[in-house]
Amino acid sequence: MRKRERYKRLIMFLASVLIVAVQTGAFAYTWFHDYHVKSIIGRRYGYWGHWALIGLYALMVILVSKLFSAFKVGYQRVLDVVLSQIFSVLIVNAVAYLQLALIGRWRFLTHIEPMLRVTAFNLCAVLLWVFFMRWIYARIYPPHAVLLIYGRFSPKALLRKMEGRRDKYIVTGKISLDCGVDAIKQEILKHEAVMIGDIPSHERNLFLKYCFENNIRCYCQPKISDIMVMSSEKIHMFDTPLLLFRNCGLTIEKQVIKRVFDLVVSVLMLIVLSPLLLLIALLVKAYDGGPVFYKQARLTKDGRVFMVYKFRSMCVDSEKQGARLAMKRDSRVTPIGNILRNIHFDELPQLLNIIKGDMSLVGPRPERPEIAAEYCKEIPEFSYRLKVKAGLTGYAQVYGKYNTTPYDKLKLDLTYIENYSFLLDLQLIATTVKILFQKENTEGVEQWQKTAAAGTGRSETKNSKKSAQ
């Protein structure tokens, strides 16, 4: 198993090259057989012109596929990869068709059938590729037998999460830190991989080094300080390596680029989606005659309070008994609201907040002041999320869920803040499209919870806070 691991990247690289070549080959055949030979574009292309056009198509396939993480067939769930490949094919072929239309001076807008055939072929090809590569990957790299090392608190929450990815690892043993370092080291040698839970840093470092010495794969839950270390800048001013933590949020140039991008995209989306927004408004109003929009106080950069706009998805006076998060099977949610929440369309009016400057397209989820105050009682570091503007989508929204615990949300948001780049924003926006088809990301908290930190969540938050010190 360990010997095969070294070839994993090579195998997946060759598999990616294969699917790019198949898609590009289909486009090349259509270009020569339908568009060029039949002179639909109205001009003849030279030798290098052909290859430039085909090479540009291949480049688009690679870039868009990477943007949607469509090549990560061994890392993501099957549905995630399938959706990524489908979106990639549709976007690439739509752009390629517009490109051909420009080359032909819009002469062949009625000749869309060849590109439709290419799209249909490529969709079938990528679906076959995903399932075949998934089968190959499972045969060559079966799930790792993992030893879970946990501290003084129950590992049940982590075990539940790992159970959902039995394609990647199977917990074949678990051991408490109370058993002693020597006993745990002996147990580590019996497993292919180790999952280090939320335990004190001193013991965690001992096990990390031990796994390194013995070439054993190791997974580790990061602490808040770890996320900061991972994003630090390495500098060499003398013969001792240093790590520089700037701790200043986004630089001025990054803020300007982000703001311009927010304005351009938000205005365009409002224009394009205006018919849909009008239809949703009519449906919300027609259901019970109540207000179309719902305004609520939320937090953004530096703790500033603003009023967020949403399509009303709950009945009128849904919070007359106080603020609380939406629950699973929440009776307050209207039938129209249930649909809107499942596909996240209730969030679309927040485009107005982005234009006003209260929010950004990408950033931490805007929390309610009273609920954020509850979280801060357990996790003082929760306010670190406010170094940037709140976002319509974000790292925690994409990789977490509505009911993800506050401590995990904090770690996800800090990962975004400390590793911000324009490319990361584009990738998160692209990934958000997939979430529209994944209901689990909209699941509310349990019926007995008032916030995500209540009950078990609150217990986990306290535990995380203590181990983060």
Side-chain angles (χ1 to χ4, degrees):
M1 180 68 173
R2 292 181 182 176
K3 292 182 179 180
R4 288 180 295 192
E5 286 289 340
R6 68 184 67 178
Y7 300 110
K8 183 185 293 185
R9 289 184 180 274
L10 177 61
I11 292 174
M12 299 314 300
F13 171 75
L14 294 177
S16 301
V17 170
L18 173 63
I19 192 58
V20 171
V22 169
Q23 294 181 71
T24 305
F27 173 78
Y29 174 82
T30 299
W31 165 251
F32 285 115
H33 184 266
D34 292 292
Y35 290 122
H36 181 70
V37 173
K38 296 180 181 179
S39 298
I40 293 176
I41 64 171
R43 62 179 69 178
R44 302 293 293 179
Y45 254 56
Y47 176 81
W48 291 111
H50 295 307
W51 286 110
L53 191 66
I54 294 170
L56 183 58
Y57 183 88
L59 182 62
M60 283 195 298
V61 173
I62 295 171
L63 293 179
V64 176
S65 297
K66 281 186 169 293
L67 191 65
F68 280 94
S69 301
F71 294 137
K72 295 185 177 181
V73 67
Y75 173 72
Q76 295 187 328
R77 292 184 175 90
V78 173
L79 178 60
D80 288 331
V81 185
V82 167
L83 290 175
S84 297
Q85 287 287 357
I86 289 175
F87 290 134
S88 299
V89 169
L90 295 178
I91 290 174
V92 168
N93 285 349
V95 173
Y97 181 70
L98 290 176
Q99 177 189 5
L100 294 179
L102 288 171
I103 292 173
R105 298 174 183 175
W106 308 100
R107 186 170 300 169
F108 69 109
L109 283 177
T110 56
H111 296 81
I112 194 173
E113 183 184 351
M115 280 304 297
L116 290 178
R117 289 200 302 268
V118 172
T119 303
F121 174 84
N122 285 353
L123 285 174
C124 293
V126 296
L127 289 177
L128 288 173
W129 178 83
V130 169
F131 289 106
F132 176 72
M133 287 306 304
R134 190 68 177 188
W135 178 76
I136 289 292
Y137 189 93
R139 293 293 299 270
I140 300 178
Y141 304 107
H144 293 282
V146 178
L147 170 68
L148 173 61
I149 303 174
Y150 63 96
R152 54 182 294 197
F153 303 108
S154 173
K156 290 181 179 179
L158 181 57
L159 284 170
R160 283 197 301 269
K161 295 176 182 179
M162 296 180 69
E163 282 292 321
R165 292 305 307 268
R166 293 183 65 85
D167 58 313
K168 293 295 295 180
Y169 29 64
I170 300 175
V171 179
T172 54
K174 55 181 185 292
I175 185 168
S176 171
L177 197 59
D178 295 335
C179 295
V181 173
D182 292 336
I184 293 175
K185 285 183 176 180
Q186 293 179 9
E187 197 66 25
I188 287 175
L189 297 177
K190 302 176 184 177
H191 291 78
E192 300 173 353
V194 172
M195 170 67 79
I196 301 178
D198 203 352
I199 65 176
S201 300
H202 174 71
E203 287 78 4
R204 185 191 66 172
N205 292 342
L206 290 176
F207 300 136
L208 281 172
K209 294 175 182 178
Y210 189 72
C211 290
F212 183 83
E213 293 170 6
N214 292 277
N215 300 319
I216 295 176
R217 176 181 289 256
C218 184
Y219 302 91
C220 181
Q221 285 187 296
K223 301 179 186 298
I224 293 175
S225 56
D226 295 329
I227 295 173
M228 296 175 179
V229 170
M230 287 187 290
S231 61
S232 62
E233 180 181 345
K234 303 175 185 65
I235 59 176
H236 300 280
M237 299 181 65
F238 31 77
D239 58 357
T240 298
L242 294 177
L243 297 177
L244 172 61
F245 303 85
R246 298 190 184 276
N247 303 324
C248 58
L250 305 187
T251 60
I252 294 297
E253 58 270 24
K254 288 181 179 179
Q255 292 181 41
V256 171
I257 293 173
K258 191 174 178 66
R259 180 60 181 155
V260 172
F261 180 70
D262 287 342
L263 282 174
V264 172
V265 174
S266 298
V267 171
L268 288 176
M269 287 182 67
L270 274 179
I271 295 172
V272 173
L273 297 175
S274 55
L276 175 62
L277 297 176
L278 179 60
L279 175 61
I280 294 175
L282 291 173
L283 291 174
V284 173
K285 187 69 176 180
Y287 176 73
D288 57 8
V292 171
F293 296 106
Y294 177 66
K295 294 194 298 183
Q296 191 177 70
R298 297 292 179 99
L299 294 175
T300 187
K301 188 175 184 291
D302 298 326
R304 183 171 66 85
V305 179
F306 72 101
M307 300 304 294
V308 71
Y309 303 120
K310 301 177 70 173
F311 282 120
R312 183 172 58 85
S313 60
M314 292 187 176
C315 59
V316 181
D317 298 329
S318 60
E319 292 194 333
K320 58 185 178 181
Q321 296 181 351
R324 63 178 298 163
L325 297 181
M327 302 176 293
K328 294 180 181 179
R329 300 173 294 279
D330 199 320
S331 60
R332 301 173 298 166
V333 179
T334 65
I336 298 298
N338 188 53
I339 297 174
L340 293 178
R341 293 174 71 89
N342 284 340
I343 58 178
H344 298 268
F345 279 9
D346 61 321
E347 313 277 354
L348 289 178
Q350 291 175 31
L351 291 171
L352 297 173
N353 289 114
I354 296 173
I355 294 174
K356 288 176 60 180
D358 295 327
M359 295 178 59
S360 177
L361 283 170
V362 183
R365 183 179 182 274
E367 290 288 354
R368 303 179 63 172
E370 54 270 39
I371 292 179
E374 288 293 317
Y375 294 160
C376 286
K377 290 179 182 178
E378 308 295 342
I379 320 170
E381 301 91 345
F382 195 75
S383 60
Y384 292 177
R385 303 166 66 254
L386 303 179
K387 279 183 173 285
V388 297
K389 289 181 182 178
L392 179 62
T393 187
Y395 210 90
Q397 295 92 309
V398 167
Y399 296 108
K401 301 178 183 179
Y402 184 81
N403 56 3
T404 297
T405 60
Y407 186 66
D408 286 333
K409 282 183 180 179
L410 171 61
K411 290 193 287 187
L412 290 169
D413 286 330
L414 283 179
T415 299
Y416 168 75
I417 294 171
E418 294 298 310
N419 296 277
Y420 169 79
S421 69
F422 181 67
L423 181 60
L424 178 58
D425 271 5
L426 293 179
Q427 187 173 21
L428 290 173
I429 291 172
T431 309
T432 300
V433 179
K434 294 190 296 182
I435 294 180
L436 300 180
F437 299 85
Q438 299 175 350
K439 184 177 179 180
E440 65 177 9
N441 288 79
T442 65
E443 290 178 351
V445 297
E446 298 292 348
Q447 294 286 341
W448 40 267
Q449 289 180 253
K450 185 174 181 179
T451 71
T456 304
R458 182 180 296 275
S459 175
E460 290 171 0
T461 300
K462 289 181 179 179
N463 302 349
S464 300
K465 174 194 171 187
K466 291 178 180 178
S467 61
Q469 302 303 319

